[in-house]
């Protein structure tokens, strides 16, 4: 009986395969880290062959741990680091160059040139994104312009592009055509396509005007499909060991939204990792941000209308805790921040603004730098640590406020996941600062679960999102304890601190 669903999570640092049961509980996982290749300042690459190799090992490893086989899997879903760009030869399966990772900034100049040429508005209106090195379009252009023979091969239909979802689906469903066997499927889903700067958010199709801006031969782009449908089947002689429907595909942040069962407009998830990622479901409406947030896809289930989202990210959250540990040495492990910050009643007048490389959404002030303000002789490292935890939460509040303002929606709760959510004090502070309850699910692996959900829905393993919503079980909930006056005073102090951090770097 196929009473499990599998999901591949192809992340920035590792690739894992997880197996879930019908309740959405984890049955097994296997995970492998891959090499971060940094040949020059600002360049970050992955070896696509290593990623495919690790995916195969992860699938086999998890199936073996669970004592399961292909016949036990109703479907497989995939979620992936978004934007990371692979261009390969469809005749051989060999990549022309390493994958350009989303963090790679070598295409800064391509993005800046688009801005200079006045294309910002067009790209924003159609794709929902501001031109930036982050997104795939410029990365494809860079490969076409800088790797010998690729443009020619693309024009002849040999060189094809994909994010790592596309790369893995292509391999899982066939790879290169050989021995009379068809080539693998070359496709992606709307959430991944929506991160290229090449897809029109309304038509959900590649946009000829955008493609022309990047001078990309259209035939190298994958077919855009929904996030949940049967795309094809795994090869019987592949790592799964049988023909299993490949039926779900979502970029990681979209998968986390889905795994958190944020199915209604106004539902929001915040992932607390090295940085934070907030995604707000805005329903069928495409909300244009007045605050520099990204307009992005939520997900699209088969033929049903697409669900859109607003996305805001915060560069420095968990990394500020690492900074306390590694640069200041006031804690020896991230978890110690909770006890130390909890040893004082409040921040003692201290605020910390982690503008290490400027302030991003919703401030967009590259001239800001980090600041610790409000110090008096009385303050200790405990106050500073508490101010760091508060900064994680105030930065989140700033993005939440911007989202709520843009979308005109009421927020009634926040769903959280990620490493920092282990810190109970930090989550309590988050509830206090926002004035709404903060909830964490039992299954912490929301990203992988979201991909499994998308795949399971497509094959009828789960009937609908209502059923998935009943799977969402709360592990912890923090409710606000501050009164309005406390909340206002706290936020006023944070706002003052942010002002102090601005204008530090002069042109
Ligand atoms: P990523 O996926 O970005 O690697 P994780 O979700 O694994 O991130 O979270 C790791 C981050 O969480 C690290 O920056 C670490 O400092 C922080 N972190 C982990 N545990 C705690 C804790 N108990 N208190 C505060 N921060 C923590």
């Amino acid at each position: 009986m196929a009473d499990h669903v599998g999901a591949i999570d192809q992340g920035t640092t590792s690739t894992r395969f997880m197996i879930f049961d019908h309740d959405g509980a984890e049955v097994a996982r296997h995970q492998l880290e891959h090499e971060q290749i940094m040949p020059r300042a600002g360049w970050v690459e992955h070896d696509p062959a290593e990623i495919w190799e690790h995916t195969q090992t992860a699938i086999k490893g998890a199936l073996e741990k669970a004592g399961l086989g292909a016949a036990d899997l109703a479907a497989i879903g995939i979620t992936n680091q978004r934007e990371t760009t692979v261009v390969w030869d469809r005749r051989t399966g060999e990549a022309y160059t390493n994958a350009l990772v989303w963090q790679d900034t070598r295409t800064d100049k391509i993005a800046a040139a688009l801005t200079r040429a006045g294309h910002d508005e067009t790209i924003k209106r159609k794709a929902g994104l501001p031109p930036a090195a982050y997104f795939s379009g410029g990365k494809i252009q860079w490969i076409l312009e800088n790797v010998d023979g690729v443009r020619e091969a693309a024009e002849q239909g040999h060189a094809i592009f994909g994010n790592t979802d596309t790369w893995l689906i292509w391999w899982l469903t066939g790879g290169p055509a050989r021995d009379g066997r068809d080539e693998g499927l070359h496709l992606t889903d709307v959430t991944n396509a929506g991160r290229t700067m090449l897809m029109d958010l309304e038509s959900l199709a590649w946009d000829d005007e955008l493609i022309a801006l990047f001078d990309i031969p259209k035939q190298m782009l994958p077919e855009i499909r929904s996030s949940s449908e049967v795309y094809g089947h795994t090869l019987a002689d592949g790592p799964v060991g049988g023909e299993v429907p490949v039926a779900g595909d979502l970029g990681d942040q979209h998968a986390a939204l889905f795994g958190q069962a944020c199915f209604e407009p106004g539902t929001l998830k915040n992932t607390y990792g090295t940085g934070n990622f907030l995604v707000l479901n805005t329903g069928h409406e495409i909300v244009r941000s007045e605050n520099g947030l990204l307009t992005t896809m939520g997900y699209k289930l088969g033929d049903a209308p697409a669900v859109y989202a607003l996305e805001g990210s915060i560069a420095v959250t968990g990394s500020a805790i690492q900074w306390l540990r590694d640069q200041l040495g006031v804690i020896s492990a991230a978890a110690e921040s909770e006890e130390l910050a909890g040893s004082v009643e409040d921040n003692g007048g201290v605020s910390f603004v982690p503008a290490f490389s400027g302030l991003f959404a919703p401030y967009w002030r590259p001239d800001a730098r980090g600041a610790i303000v409000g110090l008096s002789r009385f303050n200790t490292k405990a106050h500073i640590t508490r101010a760091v935890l508060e900064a994680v939460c105030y930065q989140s509040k700033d993005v939440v406020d911007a989202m709520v303002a843009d979308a005109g929606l009421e927020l009634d709760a926040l769903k959280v996941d990620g490493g920092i959510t282990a810190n109970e004090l930090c989550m309590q502070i988050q509830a206090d600062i926002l004035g709404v309850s903060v909830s964490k699910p039992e299954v912490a692996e929301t990203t992988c679960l979201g991909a499994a959900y998308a795949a399971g829905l497509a094959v009828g393993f789960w009937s609908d999102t209502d059923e998935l919503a009943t799977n969402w079980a709360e592990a912890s909930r923090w409710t606000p304890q501050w009164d309005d006056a406390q909340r206002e005073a706290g936020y006023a102090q944070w706002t003052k601190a942010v002002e102090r951090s601005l204008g530090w770097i002069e042109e």
Side-chain angles (χ1 to χ4, degrees):
M1 259 280 280
D3 44 16
H4 298 84
V5 172
I8 298 164
D9 180 357
Q10 200 303 292
T12 307
T13 55
S14 69
T15 303
R16 68 180 107 172
F17 187 69
M18 290 183 71
I19 301 170
F20 298 95
D21 66 17
H22 198 264
D23 295 332
E26 174 180 343
V27 173
R29 74 168 90 183
H30 195 72
Q31 176 166 350
L32 294 103
E33 284 194 13
H34 53 262
E35 192 187 349
Q36 305 295 314
I37 304 162
M38 296 179 237
R40 292 193 206 180
W43 291 29
V44 187
E45 302 177 349
H46 294 154
D47 173 3
E50 184 187 20
I51 285 177
W52 167 231
E53 192 62 44
H54 283 186
T55 303
Q56 298 177 75
T57 309
I59 292 172
K60 289 183 206 153
L63 283 171
E64 197 178 305
K65 282 180 197 169
L68 300 174
D72 300 298
L73 296 179
I76 288 179
I78 179 159
T79 176
N80 59 305
Q81 50 168 331
R82 305 171 296 175
E83 299 99 8
T84 296
T85 297
V86 189
V87 176
W88 71 97
D89 186 337
R90 69 189 329 157
R91 296 166 300 182
T92 61
E94 268 182 53
Y96 290 96
T97 181
N98 278 333
L100 271 56
V101 179
W102 57 275
Q103 298 149 320
D104 189 299
T105 54
R106 80 184 69 177
T107 55
D108 269 343
K109 287 200 186 86
I110 292 178
L114 289 167
T115 299
R116 265 200 314 277
H119 298 305
D120 274 32
E121 272 318 303
T122 307
I123 297 175
K124 256 189 217 152
R125 179 170 44 83
K126 291 189 162 180
L129 310 169
Y134 187 10
F135 307 112
S136 310
K139 297 183 196 291
I140 304 172
Q141 187 180 354
W142 189 93
I143 293 174
L144 286 165
E145 285 171 2
N146 291 279
V147 182
D148 274 353
V150 178
R151 182 169 291 280
E152 205 180 18
E155 274 156 7
Q156 292 165 350
H158 304 316
I160 53 176
F161 151 79
N163 293 137
T164 58
D165 61 321
T166 302
W167 169 245
L168 294 179
I169 290 172
W170 187 81
W171 275 110
L172 283 168
T173 58
R178 65 207 127 122
D179 311 330
R181 199 158 76 186
D182 286 345
E183 185 189 325
L185 300 166
H186 185 222
L187 55 86
T188 188
D189 92 306
V190 292
T191 67
N192 275 289
R195 309 294 292 191
T196 58
M197 299 192 278
L198 305 172
M199 187 188 82
D200 181 296
L201 284 174
E202 276 171 37
S203 67
L204 305 178
W206 300 121
D207 182 90
D208 289 332
E209 185 184 1
L210 296 176
I211 290 172
L213 287 180
F214 293 91
D215 198 12
I216 293 172
K218 194 172 183 179
Q219 63 265 35
M220 71 188 297
L221 301 177
E223 186 186 345
I224 303 176
R225 303 281 281 268
S226 80
S227 316
S228 173
E229 63 180 77
V230 178
Y231 309 118
H233 291 78
T234 56
L235 289 179
D237 59 358
V240 185
E243 293 184 13
V244 175
V246 180
D249 181 9
L250 289 155
D252 52 12
Q253 296 309 318
H254 317 268
L257 182 78
F258 206 67
Q260 282 277 25
C262 290
F263 304 130
E264 297 299 320
T267 49
L268 169 66
K269 72 91 197 173
N270 191 1
T271 301
Y272 297 72
T274 314
N276 273 30
F277 283 92
L278 292 98
V279 182
L280 172 73
N281 180 325
T282 61
H284 302 308
E285 197 191 341
I286 300 177
V287 175
R288 311 282 172 184
S289 177
E290 303 288 321
N291 295 290
L293 302 172
L294 305 181
T295 305
T296 197
M297 302 305 304
Y299 50 85
K300 177 168 163 48
L301 304 179
D303 294 334
V307 170
Y308 294 89
L310 278 173
E311 176 174 318
S313 46
I314 307 169
V316 185
T317 55
S319 55
I321 292 157
Q322 292 165 11
W323 176 80
L324 278 180
R325 183 193 62 196
D326 303 335
Q327 262 78 13
L328 295 196
V330 300
I331 48 175
S332 59
E336 279 175 28
S337 61
E338 180 162 7
E339 202 190 333
L340 185 55
S343 69
V344 286
E345 261 177 28
D346 54 34
N347 62 30
V350 180
S351 288
F352 170 68
V353 184
F356 291 154
S357 41
L359 282 172
F360 301 94
Y363 299 103
W364 302 106
R365 289 291 296 262
D367 59 334
R369 279 302 174 272
I372 301 176
V373 295
L375 291 167
S376 63
R377 182 78 171 83
F378 156 77
N379 293 127
T380 65
K381 60 185 179 181
H383 295 117
I384 293 174
T385 302
R386 194 163 182 120
V388 170
L389 296 186
E390 288 186 356
V392 171
C393 303
Y394 277 120
Q395 293 185 98
S396 297
K397 174 181 164 57
D398 283 334
V399 173
V400 168
D401 286 355
M403 285 178 155
V404 167
D406 279 336
L409 290 163
E410 196 75 24
L411 182 76
D412 53 10
L414 176 69
K415 288 178 171 177
V416 301
D417 49 60
I420 306 178
T421 62
N423 191 313
E424 300 258 352
L425 175 63
C426 191
M427 293 301 104
Q428 180 59 50
I429 292 171
Q430 185 69 84
D432 290 340
I433 282 174
L434 283 177
V436 299
S437 69
V438 169
S439 299
K440 178 177 164 173
E442 257 166 29
V443 178
E445 302 298 339
T446 54
T447 308
C448 234
L449 183 61
Y453 278 169
L457 276 179
V459 296
F461 184 75
W462 289 293
S463 51
D464 52 27
T465 52
D466 289 345
E467 186 184 359
L468 298 180
T470 62
N471 266 356
W472 193 94
E474 188 172 73
S476 323
R477 174 191 294 237
W478 297 270
T479 47
Q481 289 170 1
W482 286 2
D483 59 26
D484 289 348
Q486 253 175 313
R487 190 169 303 121
E488 279 159 30
Y491 191 61
Q493 183 183 322
W494 164 253
T495 309
K496 251 185 344 185
V498 168
E499 279 163 19
R500 299 295 190 276
S501 76
L502 303 178
W504 188 260
I505 297 292
E506 283 157 31
E507 271 298 306

